[in-house]
Amino acid sequence: MCGIIARVGDGNATETLLSGLENLEYRGYDSAGIAVQNGSGVKVHKCSGDVSDLESTLDSRPSGNVGIGHTRWSTHGPPTDENAHPHTDTAGDVAVVHNGVIDNYDQLRTELQANGHVFESDTDTEVIPHLIDEYRETTGDTEQAVRRAVDTLEGSYAIAAIVDGEERIYAARKGSPLVLGVDDEEWFLASDVPAFLEYTDEVIYLEDGDLVVLEPDSYRLTDLEGNPIDRSVDTVDWDPKDAGKGEYDHYMKKEIHSQPTALSNTIEGRIDDGDVDFADLPPGAFADVESVQLVACGTSYHAAMYGGQLLRAAGIPATALRASEYESVAGPVDENTLVVAVTQSGETADTLEAVRTGSARGGRTLAVTNVVGSTAARETDEAIYIRAGPEVGVAATKTYSSQVVTLALLSQRIAADVPDATPADDRAAMLDALADLPRHVETVLETSRAETLAAETLESEAYVFVGNGFGHSVALEGALKFKEITYEHAEGFASGQLKHGPLALVTEETPLFAVCTGGDDEKTKTNAIEARSRGAPVVAVGPDDHPLCDVADAHLSVPETHPVWAGLLANVQLQLLSYYAAKLLERPIDKPRNLAKSVTVE
């Protein structure tokens, strides 16, 4: 969580910092701030609220060619002006922005206060500028002071700091993402590439233990002992326009409507004469796999459930596990266990910790992620990219669809290698139907009645989503999306579990959305009818010819296709339902309360 932007180069940094913060606001919007340095002091401007609130407080743009900025998702202390970043030392000579959690801040704060340092906030971050100031006094050198400060910290951090009288930015990372943007006339640092994508697509992904010093015409990258480090410069293949809203009112709506393109990119080049082909994984790459553990959080966990079911159907023992619980529930892991980290950002703290645990226990690791150069991609043995392009809306949409397709292809690729596996009998039909998926999503987007249905059900007390097989994970995802952005109570269940307790919640004021895939739907039909007999309005979400459509009160239609992909089409309908309900309720759709896009702290 939290977004960092920093810039050094010719010209005023302020406009770049503000635009970077706007591009990063999906990472946190409790408060925002900037600090610039122009040789006559470090000027800090910050406030609670979002970036537009910050801009409204600036009577004039502060000048300076070196600056840092931050948009906050609160962990220590409420979202107040005082707790907003940047934070400074007592004299205001050192300003710091920080993403992460400092575990030993209580101890450090007590020690620094005993030495005369005065604190103004409740945050853990504020110890960092005071530490730098303390070590500047003892070393007489800012770079050494920064090294000593970060070496003193326990926990996770991405840090950027500026100092009065110095045309430099000092930055370091451990456990939180930080990427360096490279341009001919200026340098950037940010938590995520979209912050500066309009200026450069040349990037260096920093790794844990890296420390970088940026100056107007150069950068130096070292480890914490000062030894030079060489990191490759990568080119990001995202179009800067993909990081904007374009003609849409919200990022979420744009990203829902960009799914046909995202899915085409996900599929491209990965099916060859009826076989699944991942370029960096030669035939036989998975021949020694005996079991698969998929670890993920939130929406990515629902995609992992989808992938796990496909693997089990192919005769490969597979389990989707919540990453936050992995250490205690994973069970045996050995060299024949494939641990798959499913993470959009590649920086999700719980997922990274889970895959590290799996590796430490002897497992082979693989990342399914959207971000080239992310921590997950670097730390696992192999990586497969979902190719969804940048996703800014906090509520994941297109990345879920691309994750599911990538995991579905991976399941068939593994099944082709494992000697005792049993690839699906209709594998050819499944892969043939996949080629039509982008077009089918386009049909859903063009014909959906979700907006009308959202209005008709808006006054409901709660919303229930059910599904069986592939429909179960879609029901869970539909409920998650609905509660994330509408703030209304929504629950997802396996169809057969409805009568084992949840049916007590069903009334005429709780519409039930039944996800139908055209395969293994009998439990969904019978339980939906039972809920309807108790007064619940039933909405069938599936193909037009599904038997449930004849008895349902309403229908969200999806094109006829293979059952594996029907669930994804149903999910698009539920994404639209959530979006339009939230819009009618006037919710902040792209910035739901208490949530951030990339959860980089445990």
Side-chain angles (χ1 to χ4, degrees):
M1 288 85 80
C2 299
I4 289 173
I5 178 69
R7 180 267 188 194
V8 59
D10 293 334
N12 195 3
T14 299
E15 294 301 330
T16 304
L17 296 176
L18 292 172
S19 67
L21 290 180
E22 290 172 351
N23 293 338
L24 285 174
E25 205 164 13
Y26 60 89
R27 297 184 64 93
Y29 33 84
D30 291 343
S31 60
I34 61 172
V36 295
Q37 197 285 129
N38 60 9
S40 60
V42 173
K43 308 299 183 184
V44 176
H45 302 267
K46 60 182 183 176
C47 67
S48 60
D50 58 26
V51 177
S52 64
D53 294 318
L54 172 66
E55 292 188 83
S56 69
T57 68
L58 299 175
D59 296 329
S60 60
R61 296 296 196 247
S63 63
N65 67 332
V66 178
I68 55 178
H70 189 269
T71 181
R72 182 174 184 244
W73 191 88
S74 304
T75 55
H76 289 75
T80 63
D81 292 354
E82 293 78 13
N83 289 335
H85 297 212
H87 289 288
T88 65
D89 65 323
T90 304
D93 294 334
V94 180
V96 169
V97 292
H98 163 233
N99 178 21
V101 174
I102 306 304
D103 295 333
N104 60 336
Y105 86 99
D106 271 335
Q107 173 193 341
L108 295 173
R109 184 181 179 115
T110 299
E111 294 172 356
L112 287 163
Q113 286 175 322
N115 289 343
H117 293 264
V118 178
F119 285 75
E120 304 291 344
S121 78
D122 303 314
T123 69
D124 56 337
T125 300
E126 197 180 356
V127 300
I128 303 171
H130 288 282
L131 277 175
I132 294 173
D133 175 58
E134 180 90 353
Y135 293 137
R136 286 180 78 216
E137 290 289 327
T138 57
T139 66
D141 179 82
T142 301
E143 186 172 337
Q144 287 302 314
V146 172
R147 293 184 194 284
R148 287 190 60 182
V150 297
D151 190 50
T152 305
L153 302 176
E154 297 175 6
S156 61
Y157 55 79
I159 296 165
I162 60 174
V163 176
D164 182 27
E166 298 187 21
E167 283 195 319
R168 295 187 185 93
I169 296 171
Y170 301 89
R173 69 153 281 179
K174 175 189 173 186
S176 289
L178 201 58
V179 58
L180 170 62
V182 179
D183 191 38
D184 291 337
E185 297 181 352
E186 52 191 345
W187 311 97
F188 306 90
L189 281 164
S191 301
D192 208 349
V193 172
F196 54 70
L197 190 56
E198 63 193 277
Y199 301 103
T200 182
D201 59 2
E202 300 293 309
V203 302
I204 297 172
Y205 293 98
L206 303 184
E207 300 187 18
D208 283 358
D210 288 358
L211 188 144
V212 62
V213 180
L214 302 182
E215 299 184 81
D217 57 357
S218 66
Y219 73 89
R220 289 184 290 109
L221 186 59
T222 66
D223 62 20
L224 292 185
E225 285 71 46
N227 301 309
I229 294 174
D230 184 29
R231 299 268 183 247
S232 63
V233 178
D234 296 322
T235 301
V236 178
D237 62 358
W238 292 349
D239 188 324
K241 292 182 292 186
D242 291 341
K245 282 189 289 193
E247 65 188 34
Y248 295 94
D249 293 336
H250 299 94
Y251 285 108
M252 183 181 181
K253 188 175 184 183
K254 177 191 175 183
E255 287 154 5
I256 291 172
H257 281 259
S258 69
Q259 285 176 110
T261 299
L263 288 168
S264 295
N265 292 337
T266 300
I267 298 165
E268 184 180 4
R270 289 177 167 172
I271 301 175
D272 182 18
D273 290 333
D275 292 324
V276 176
D277 178 28
F278 289 107
D280 296 329
L281 296 169
F286 298 107
D288 59 351
V289 170
E290 296 179 359
S291 64
V292 180
Q293 296 176 338
L294 301 108
V295 295
C297 299
T299 288
S300 296
Y301 172 72
H302 299 151
M305 290 177 63
Y306 221 108
Q309 182 175 343
L310 282 163
L311 284 162
R312 292 191 296 274
I316 300 166
T319 309
L321 300 167
R322 290 181 174 86
S324 58
E325 302 172 0
Y326 180 81
E327 186 170 7
S328 57
V329 303
V333 177
D334 59 27
E335 67 274 9
N336 301 120
T337 305
L338 179 65
V339 182
V340 180
V342 186
T343 163
Q344 182 277 135
S345 67
E347 304 292 348
T348 308
D350 286 325
T351 304
L352 291 173
E353 187 58 31
V355 80
R356 288 163 182 157
T357 300
S359 179
R361 293 177 179 178
R364 174 181 171 186
T365 58
L366 182 149
V368 174
T369 184
N370 196 34
V371 181
V372 177
S374 61
T375 302
R378 294 196 310 270
E379 292 192 3
T380 51
D381 298 319
E382 292 105 5
I384 297 175
Y385 298 103
I386 67 173
R387 303 173 178 168
E391 185 177 68
V392 176
V394 169
T397 51
K398 66 176 181 176
T399 53
Y400 171 80
S401 298
S402 291
Q403 283 174 333
V404 168
V405 169
T406 303
L407 289 169
L409 292 173
L410 178 63
S411 72
Q412 300 310 299
R413 178 67 180 77
I414 294 173
D417 282 353
V418 174
D420 296 329
T422 54
D425 293 336
D426 60 350
R427 179 172 176 270
M430 183 181 84
L431 295 178
D432 284 345
L434 177 58
D436 294 325
L437 183 61
R439 177 173 57 85
H440 286 158
V441 172
E442 193 71 54
T443 298
V444 170
L445 295 171
E446 292 172 352
T447 63
S448 177
R449 293 187 61 253
E451 184 172 10
T452 299
L453 194 58
E456 291 173 352
T457 60
L458 195 65
E459 301 301 321
S460 301
E461 292 179 351
Y463 301 79
V464 177
F465 299 76
V466 298
N468 196 50
F470 297 117
H472 178 208
S473 57
V474 173
L476 294 177
E477 175 60 14
L480 176 63
K481 213 56 53 197
F482 202 89
K483 70 183 74 175
E484 277 182 321
I485 64 169
T486 70
Y487 309 158
E488 299 297 306
H489 184 73
E491 293 291 345
F493 303 102
S495 301
Q497 292 302 307
L498 197 62
K499 62 173 62 72
H500 295 284
L503 197 59
L505 300 173
V506 169
T507 72
E508 62 277 5
E509 298 298 326
T510 54
L512 182 143
F513 296 85
V515 178
C516 306
T517 64
D520 203 19
D521 287 331
E522 189 59 34
K523 282 187 174 65
T524 302
K525 178 185 174 184
T526 57
N527 280 273
I529 291 172
E530 186 167 349
R532 191 171 186 269
S533 72
R534 282 149 172 86
V538 170
V539 180
V541 189
D544 291 340
D545 62 354
H546 196 279
L548 184 58
C549 296
D550 296 332
V551 295
D553 298 283
H555 177 215
L556 291 173
S557 174
V558 306
E560 194 72 37
T561 187
H562 191 281
V564 170
W565 313 125
L568 278 183
L569 298 174
N571 183 65
V572 175
Q573 288 281 22
L574 297 180
Q575 291 172 350
L576 291 168
L577 177 79
S578 299
Y579 173 81
Y580 286 116
K583 186 175 181 180
L584 288 167
L585 291 166
E586 299 183 346
R587 307 301 193 210
I589 291 172
D590 289 329
K591 300 183 289 186
R593 67 187 179 202
N594 302 331
L595 301 178
K597 182 68 176 173
S598 181
V599 184
T600 57
V601 296
E602 294 184 66

